[in-house]
Amino acid sequence: MPELPEVEIQARYLQERLPGRQVRSVQVGRGRIIRPHTPADLEAALAGRRFQRISRRAKHLLFELEARPGQDPLPAVGHLGMTGRMYLQEPDAPLPRHAAVVLELDRGRFVFEDPRGFGRFHLDPGVLEGLGPEPLSGDFTGESLARALAGSRQPIKVRLLDQAVVAGVGNIYASEALFRAGLSPRRAAGRLSRAQATRLQAALREVLAEAIEAGSTLPLDFAGGTDGLFYYGTSPDAPDTYEERLQVYGRRGQPCLRCGTPIRQAVQAGRSTFWCPRCQRG
DNA sequence: CACCATGTTCCTTG
DNA sequence: CCAAGGAACATGGT
């Protein structure tokens, strides 16, 4: 599962390779990924168009496709779900087992691989409505976060997963940001002080920005490996693996890297939360 | 075999 | 109205 940083790395990878390339045909290996479209729909809409800019909004990938004579430019939207990945292949390369959507291009192909099939690839930018501010933009401030949390009695960890509060935060970075801010994941969201909301806002921004930074220094290997966090494989130049960068996520029972207290794990809203009971008493 | 998993949506229950 | 819990989607790793 890609969260915001992984999707950002994915968007940069595609932006460097896809613009200018033309779609020849569309193959769909798993129908539900392209709902509500049919393979024929999708091909009719895409065939003959060239990709323009690829960008990211929250955990969505946005693909701009050039206008045709008499038609507007077309926005396509992708979501990686838990296990999706997108990459370009040479014309004669073998397709992966779980090729959900394949776009044959003027040269080579675009592959959306997704073993679990929770991802999406469709033509409805309406899914972007209602998203909260981008956490790395100027729209995301202590004030805007405090406003989004006001009145809520939900645990702050659960609240952070609501994409209307902050767009792009997922289960890993929610725990990481709360650790950095020294806040208990169980704290009622609406009861954070203004100073705590500001601290959490800064922590979210830092945690996400650092993850993008770390990911952008690693070699990309989308076609290899099977882990959903594929872009964070080890490499000679990157002794720092994904797990090693995380302070609390996945570290139940292991000593807090700041104070040595064993990290705790609990389930909130059906998702695992990790925290240090000593460092996060706020 | 059992249990876990980066996401999201829907349904039921209190 | 709100919150919480569970299930669903489907596959793979440990």
Side-chain angles (χ1 to χ4, degrees):
Chain A
M1 140 334 358
E3 297 185 25
L4 183 151
E6 292 82 13
V7 181
E8 176 67 24
I9 297 297
Q10 177 78 81
R12 292 180 187 182
Y13 166 94
L14 294 170
Q15 170 63 23
E16 282 181 16
R17 293 163 177 80
L18 215 39
R21 307 198 53 182
Q22 187 177 38
V23 179
R24 290 263 194 261
S25 63
V26 177
Q27 298 160 245
V28 176
R30 200 194 301 262
R32 52 175 285 110
I33 298 270
I34 64 165
R35 67 190 183 281
H37 307 291
T38 65
D41 274 352
L42 200 59
E43 176 157 293
L46 298 178
R49 300 204 194 235
R50 290 182 189 279
F51 280 100
Q52 295 175 318
R53 181 169 304 281
I54 290 84
S55 58
R56 178 193 61 74
R57 170 76 171 112
K59 298 172 195 172
H60 299 272
L61 288 156
L62 307 185
F63 303 81
E64 294 172 37
L65 290 130
E66 70 175 358
R68 289 169 176 151
Q71 290 186 351
D72 291 330
L74 184 73
V77 183
H79 194 293
L80 300 173
M82 293 273 265
T83 54
R85 58 180 69 176
M86 298 175 179
Y87 50 89
L88 298 198
Q89 270 192 336
E90 295 301 309
D92 52 347
L95 282 174
R97 181 202 306 270
H98 298 293
V101 180
V102 177
L103 308 181
E104 296 293 344
L105 305 173
D106 41 356
R107 177 170 51 81
R109 63 169 80 101
F110 164 95
V111 178
F112 180 4
E113 180 184 5
D114 188 1
R116 286 177 75 175
F118 295 169
R120 298 283 309 275
F121 189 87
H122 59 87
L123 305 175
D124 178 17
V127 300
L128 307 179
E129 290 169 18
L131 289 170
E134 278 294 320
L136 301 180
S137 79
D139 293 341
F140 184 55
T141 63
E143 185 183 2
S144 73
L145 179 60
R147 208 181 315 123
L149 301 179
S152 172
R153 275 151 309 223
Q154 274 191 303
I156 181 61
K157 156 62 164 42
V158 174
R159 212 62 204 108
L160 289 178
L161 297 182
D162 184 336
Q163 300 297 293
V165 171
V166 203
V169 176
N171 203 40
I172 293 175
Y173 296 107
S175 281
E176 293 297 310
L178 286 166
F179 173 75
R180 183 168 304 215
L183 291 169
S184 166
R186 295 170 154 165
R187 183 71 178 283
R191 301 181 78 87
L192 266 62
S193 70
R194 180 51 195 275
Q196 287 173 324
T198 297
R199 213 185 314 153
L200 180 55
Q201 183 269 335
L204 281 160
R205 177 174 293 208
E206 290 164 10
V207 160
L208 296 170
E210 288 172 17
I212 292 171
E213 177 68 22
S216 65
T217 66
L218 291 174
L220 294 171
D221 182 18
F222 291 101
T226 56
D227 187 63
L229 300 164
F230 49 94
Y231 0 92
Y232 294 117
T234 55
S235 87
D237 298 331
D240 187 30
T241 67
Y242 187 74
E243 285 77 11
E244 286 167 352
R245 278 199 306 283
L246 300 178
Q247 303 285 296
V248 289
Y249 186 85
R251 299 193 66 242
R252 174 179 55 184
Q254 297 175 47
C256 172
L257 296 171
R258 189 190 291 158
C259 77
T261 301
I263 297 299
R264 296 186 50 185
Q265 175 182 14
V267 173
Q268 296 179 288
R271 317 291 305 279
S272 281
T273 300
F274 298 85
W275 78 102
C276 170
R278 181 169 170 188
C279 294
Q280 297 177 251
R281 285 183 290 203

PDB file of all heavy atoms in Angstrom, chain A residues 199-221:
ATOM      1  N   ARG A 199       1.698  21.020  16.272  1.00  0.00           N
ATOM      2  CA  ARG A 199       2.810  20.067  16.320  1.00  0.00           C
ATOM      3  C   ARG A 199       2.522  18.855  15.431  1.00  0.00           C
ATOM      4  O   ARG A 199       3.385  18.342  14.735  1.00  0.00           O
ATOM      5  CB  ARG A 199       3.023  19.601  17.769  1.00  0.00           C
ATOM      6  CG  ARG A 199       4.474  19.322  18.097  1.00  0.00           C
ATOM      7  CD  ARG A 199       4.631  18.755  19.498  1.00  0.00           C
ATOM      8  NE  ARG A 199       3.849  19.485  20.489  1.00  0.00           N
ATOM      9  CZ  ARG A 199       3.391  18.947  21.622  1.00  0.00           C
ATOM     10  NH1 ARG A 199       3.642  17.690  21.908  1.00  0.00           N
ATOM     11  NH2 ARG A 199       2.689  19.670  22.458  1.00  0.00           N
ATOM     12  N   LEU A 200       1.288  18.396  15.460  1.00  0.00           N
ATOM     13  CA  LEU A 200       0.907  17.256  14.634  1.00  0.00           C
ATOM     14  C   LEU A 200       0.962  17.615  13.151  1.00  0.00           C
ATOM     15  O   LEU A 200       1.406  16.815  12.322  1.00  0.00           O
ATOM     16  CB  LEU A 200      -0.501  16.786  15.017  1.00  0.00           C
ATOM     17  CG  LEU A 200      -1.059  15.597  14.235  1.00  0.00           C
ATOM     18  CD1 LEU A 200      -0.117  14.399  14.297  1.00  0.00           C
ATOM     19  CD2 LEU A 200      -2.441  15.216  14.775  1.00  0.00           C
ATOM     20  N   GLN A 201       0.534  18.797  12.832  1.00  0.00           N
ATOM     21  CA  GLN A 201       0.599  19.254  11.437  1.00  0.00           C
ATOM     22  C   GLN A 201       2.044  19.238  10.943  1.00  0.00           C
ATOM     23  O   GLN A 201       2.342  18.746   9.854  1.00  0.00           O
ATOM     24  CB  GLN A 201       0.000  20.661  11.340  1.00  0.00           C
ATOM     25  CG  GLN A 201      -0.065  21.243   9.938  1.00  0.00           C
ATOM     26  CD  GLN A 201       1.178  22.032   9.580  1.00  0.00           C
ATOM     27  OE1 GLN A 201       1.875  22.543  10.457  1.00  0.00           O
ATOM     28  NE2 GLN A 201       1.479  22.105   8.290  1.00  0.00           N
ATOM     29  N   ALA A 202       2.945  19.743  11.761  1.00  0.00           N
ATOM     30  CA  ALA A 202       4.356  19.769  11.373  1.00  0.00           C
ATOM     31  C   ALA A 202       4.914  18.351  11.270  1.00  0.00           C
ATOM     32  O   ALA A 202       5.673  18.028  10.353  1.00  0.00           O
ATOM     33  CB  ALA A 202       5.158  20.584  12.397  1.00  0.00           C
ATOM     34  N   ALA A 203       4.498  17.482  12.199  1.00  0.00           N
ATOM     35  CA  ALA A 203       4.996  16.104  12.196  1.00  0.00           C
ATOM     36  C   ALA A 203       4.529  15.357  10.948  1.00  0.00           C
ATOM     37  O   ALA A 203       5.301  14.617  10.337  1.00  0.00           O
ATOM     38  CB  ALA A 203       4.515  15.377  13.459  1.00  0.00           C
ATOM     39  N   LEU A 204       3.295  15.552  10.579  1.00  0.00           N
ATOM     40  CA  LEU A 204       2.780  14.908   9.367  1.00  0.00           C
ATOM     41  C   LEU A 204       3.589  15.361   8.158  1.00  0.00           C
ATOM     42  O   LEU A 204       4.014  14.556   7.328  1.00  0.00           O
ATOM     43  CB  LEU A 204       1.306  15.272   9.169  1.00  0.00           C
ATOM     44  CG  LEU A 204       0.313  14.491  10.039  1.00  0.00           C
ATOM     45  CD1 LEU A 204      -1.014  15.232  10.134  1.00  0.00           C
ATOM     46  CD2 LEU A 204       0.116  13.085   9.493  1.00  0.00           C
ATOM     47  N   ARG A 205       3.769  16.636   8.060  1.00  0.00           N
ATOM     48  CA  ARG A 205       4.509  17.177   6.925  1.00  0.00           C
ATOM     49  C   ARG A 205       5.934  16.612   6.875  1.00  0.00           C
ATOM     50  O   ARG A 205       6.412  16.196   5.829  1.00  0.00           O
ATOM     51  CB  ARG A 205       4.538  18.698   7.035  1.00  0.00           C
ATOM     52  CG  ARG A 205       5.338  19.367   5.955  1.00  0.00           C
ATOM     53  CD  ARG A 205       5.195  20.866   6.049  1.00  0.00           C
ATOM     54  NE  ARG A 205       3.823  21.273   5.731  1.00  0.00           N
ATOM     55  CZ  ARG A 205       3.509  22.450   5.211  1.00  0.00           C
ATOM     56  NH1 ARG A 205       4.440  23.327   4.967  1.00  0.00           N
ATOM     57  NH2 ARG A 205       2.261  22.745   4.944  1.00  0.00           N
ATOM     58  N   GLU A 206       6.587  16.575   8.027  1.00  0.00           N
ATOM     59  CA  GLU A 206       7.970  16.101   8.066  1.00  0.00           C
ATOM     60  C   GLU A 206       8.080  14.625   7.716  1.00  0.00           C
ATOM     61  O   GLU A 206       8.939  14.216   6.929  1.00  0.00           O
ATOM     62  CB  GLU A 206       8.546  16.333   9.468  1.00  0.00           C
ATOM     63  CG  GLU A 206       8.764  17.802   9.796  1.00  0.00           C
ATOM     64  CD  GLU A 206       8.964  18.043  11.295  1.00  0.00           C
ATOM     65  OE1 GLU A 206       9.127  17.054  12.052  1.00  0.00           O
ATOM     66  OE2 GLU A 206       8.928  19.226  11.693  1.00  0.00           O
ATOM     67  N   VAL A 207       7.211  13.834   8.315  1.00  0.00           N
ATOM     68  CA  VAL A 207       7.255  12.386   8.096  1.00  0.00           C
ATOM     69  C   VAL A 207       7.025  12.053   6.619  1.00  0.00           C
ATOM     70  O   VAL A 207       7.720  11.212   6.039  1.00  0.00           O
ATOM     71  CB  VAL A 207       6.200  11.710   8.997  1.00  0.00           C
ATOM     72  CG1 VAL A 207       5.842  10.342   8.501  1.00  0.00           C
ATOM     73  CG2 VAL A 207       6.697  11.642  10.429  1.00  0.00           C
ATOM     74  N   LEU A 208       6.075  12.730   6.008  1.00  0.00           N
ATOM     75  CA  LEU A 208       5.773  12.463   4.601  1.00  0.00           C
ATOM     76  C   LEU A 208       6.890  12.969   3.690  1.00  0.00           C
ATOM     77  O   LEU A 208       7.313  12.278   2.763  1.00  0.00           O
ATOM     78  CB  LEU A 208       4.438  13.113   4.226  1.00  0.00           C
ATOM     79  CG  LEU A 208       3.214  12.538   4.965  1.00  0.00           C
ATOM     80  CD1 LEU A 208       1.980  13.402   4.714  1.00  0.00           C
ATOM     81  CD2 LEU A 208       2.953  11.096   4.557  1.00  0.00           C
ATOM     82  N   ALA A 209       7.384  14.164   3.979  1.00  0.00           N
ATOM     83  CA  ALA A 209       8.449  14.730   3.143  1.00  0.00           C
ATOM     84  C   ALA A 209       9.713  13.887   3.232  1.00  0.00           C
ATOM     85  O   ALA A 209      10.396  13.656   2.228  1.00  0.00           O
ATOM     86  CB  ALA A 209       8.733  16.179   3.557  1.00  0.00           C
ATOM     87  N   GLU A 210      10.026  13.407   4.416  1.00  0.00           N
ATOM     88  CA  GLU A 210      11.231  12.588   4.581  1.00  0.00           C
ATOM     89  C   GLU A 210      11.092  11.248   3.868  1.00  0.00           C
ATOM     90  O   GLU A 210      12.061  10.716   3.333  1.00  0.00           O
ATOM     91  CB  GLU A 210      11.528  12.380   6.068  1.00  0.00           C
ATOM     92  CG  GLU A 210      12.047  13.650   6.728  1.00  0.00           C
ATOM     93  CD  GLU A 210      12.163  13.522   8.242  1.00  0.00           C
ATOM     94  OE1 GLU A 210      12.160  12.382   8.753  1.00  0.00           O
ATOM     95  OE2 GLU A 210      12.254  14.574   8.909  1.00  0.00           O
ATOM     96  N   ALA A 211       9.883  10.712   3.869  1.00  0.00           N
ATOM     97  CA  ALA A 211       9.666   9.435   3.173  1.00  0.00           C
ATOM     98  C   ALA A 211       9.826   9.617   1.660  1.00  0.00           C
ATOM     99  O   ALA A 211      10.396   8.756   0.982  1.00  0.00           O
ATOM    100  CB  ALA A 211       8.287   8.879   3.501  1.00  0.00           C
ATOM    101  N   ILE A 212       9.328  10.714   1.141  1.00  0.00           N
ATOM    102  CA  ILE A 212       9.505  10.986  -0.291  1.00  0.00           C
ATOM    103  C   ILE A 212      10.987  11.147  -0.598  1.00  0.00           C
ATOM    104  O   ILE A 212      11.497  10.600  -1.583  1.00  0.00           O
ATOM    105  CB  ILE A 212       8.736  12.263  -0.706  1.00  0.00           C
ATOM    106  CG1 ILE A 212       7.222  12.020  -0.623  1.00  0.00           C
ATOM    107  CG2 ILE A 212       9.133  12.691  -2.117  1.00  0.00           C
ATOM    108  CD1 ILE A 212       6.395  13.280  -0.794  1.00  0.00           C
ATOM    109  N   GLU A 213      11.655  11.871   0.251  1.00  0.00           N
ATOM    110  CA  GLU A 213      13.088  12.097   0.063  1.00  0.00           C
ATOM    111  C   GLU A 213      13.852  10.770   0.052  1.00  0.00           C
ATOM    112  O   GLU A 213      14.681  10.513  -0.812  1.00  0.00           O
ATOM    113  CB  GLU A 213      13.602  13.002   1.189  1.00  0.00           C
ATOM    114  CG  GLU A 213      15.090  13.265   1.157  1.00  0.00           C
ATOM    115  CD  GLU A 213      15.507  14.114  -0.037  1.00  0.00           C
ATOM    116  OE1 GLU A 213      14.630  14.826  -0.580  1.00  0.00           O
ATOM    117  OE2 GLU A 213      16.685  14.039  -0.423  1.00  0.00           O
ATOM    118  N   ALA A 214      13.525   9.924   1.022  1.00  0.00           N
ATOM    119  CA  ALA A 214      14.199   8.626   1.096  1.00  0.00           C
ATOM    120  C   ALA A 214      13.871   7.783  -0.131  1.00  0.00           C
ATOM    121  O   ALA A 214      14.755   7.161  -0.718  1.00  0.00           O
ATOM    122  CB  ALA A 214      13.779   7.890   2.367  1.00  0.00           C
ATOM    123  N   GLY A 215      12.603   7.781  -0.526  1.00  0.00           N
ATOM    124  CA  GLY A 215      12.206   6.975  -1.670  1.00  0.00           C
ATOM    125  C   GLY A 215      12.834   7.464  -2.962  1.00  0.00           C
ATOM    126  O   GLY A 215      13.159   6.671  -3.847  1.00  0.00           O
ATOM    127  N   SER A 216      13.023   8.759  -3.077  1.00  0.00           N
ATOM    128  CA  SER A 216      13.541   9.300  -4.334  1.00  0.00           C
ATOM    129  C   SER A 216      15.030   9.049  -4.493  1.00  0.00           C
ATOM    130  O   SER A 216      15.580   9.222  -5.578  1.00  0.00           O
ATOM    131  CB  SER A 216      13.231  10.796  -4.428  1.00  0.00           C
ATOM    132  OG  SER A 216      13.930  11.492  -3.419  1.00  0.00           O
ATOM    133  N   THR A 217      15.700   8.606  -3.428  1.00  0.00           N
ATOM    134  CA  THR A 217      17.126   8.310  -3.544  1.00  0.00           C
ATOM    135  C   THR A 217      17.368   6.827  -3.810  1.00  0.00           C
ATOM    136  O   THR A 217      18.499   6.418  -4.006  1.00  0.00           O
ATOM    137  CB  THR A 217      17.880   8.686  -2.247  1.00  0.00           C
ATOM    138  OG1 THR A 217      17.430   7.844  -1.183  1.00  0.00           O
ATOM    139  CG2 THR A 217      17.650  10.146  -1.891  1.00  0.00           C
ATOM    140  N   LEU A 218      16.298   6.040  -3.799  1.00  0.00           N
ATOM    141  CA  LEU A 218      16.476   4.610  -4.021  1.00  0.00           C
ATOM    142  C   LEU A 218      16.221   4.250  -5.477  1.00  0.00           C
ATOM    143  O   LEU A 218      15.399   4.874  -6.142  1.00  0.00           O
ATOM    144  CB  LEU A 218      15.496   3.819  -3.136  1.00  0.00           C
ATOM    145  CG  LEU A 218      15.779   3.876  -1.646  1.00  0.00           C
ATOM    146  CD1 LEU A 218      14.660   3.175  -0.873  1.00  0.00           C
ATOM    147  CD2 LEU A 218      17.114   3.227  -1.340  1.00  0.00           C
ATOM    148  N   PRO A 219      16.917   3.232  -5.963  1.00  0.00           N
ATOM    149  CA  PRO A 219      16.672   2.800  -7.333  1.00  0.00           C
ATOM    150  C   PRO A 219      15.274   2.197  -7.449  1.00  0.00           C
ATOM    151  O   PRO A 219      14.813   1.491  -6.550  1.00  0.00           O
ATOM    152  CB  PRO A 219      17.741   1.735  -7.562  1.00  0.00           C
ATOM    153  CG  PRO A 219      18.075   1.240  -6.204  1.00  0.00           C
ATOM    154  CD  PRO A 219      17.905   2.405  -5.279  1.00  0.00           C
ATOM    155  N   LEU A 220      14.598   2.506  -8.527  1.00  0.00           N
ATOM    156  CA  LEU A 220      13.252   1.979  -8.734  1.00  0.00           C
ATOM    157  C   LEU A 220      13.334   0.620  -9.393  1.00  0.00           C
ATOM    158  O   LEU A 220      14.076   0.414 -10.332  1.00  0.00           O
ATOM    159  CB  LEU A 220      12.455   2.931  -9.617  1.00  0.00           C
ATOM    160  CG  LEU A 220      12.165   4.290  -8.988  1.00  0.00           C
ATOM    161  CD1 LEU A 220      11.556   5.222 -10.022  1.00  0.00           C
ATOM    162  CD2 LEU A 220      11.267   4.140  -7.790  1.00  0.00           C
ATOM    163  N   ASP A 221      12.539  -0.296  -8.876  1.00  0.00           N
ATOM    164  CA  ASP A 221      12.512  -1.629  -9.465  1.00  0.00           C
ATOM    165  C   ASP A 221      11.094  -2.141  -9.405  1.00  0.00           C
ATOM    166  O   ASP A 221      10.764  -3.036  -8.647  1.00  0.00           O
ATOM    167  CB  ASP A 221      13.463  -2.559  -8.711  1.00  0.00           C
ATOM    168  CG  ASP A 221      13.492  -3.946  -9.335  1.00  0.00           C
ATOM    169  OD1 ASP A 221      13.056  -4.084 -10.507  1.00  0.00           O
ATOM    170  OD2 ASP A 221      13.937  -4.878  -8.670  1.00  0.00           O
TER     171      ASP A 221
END
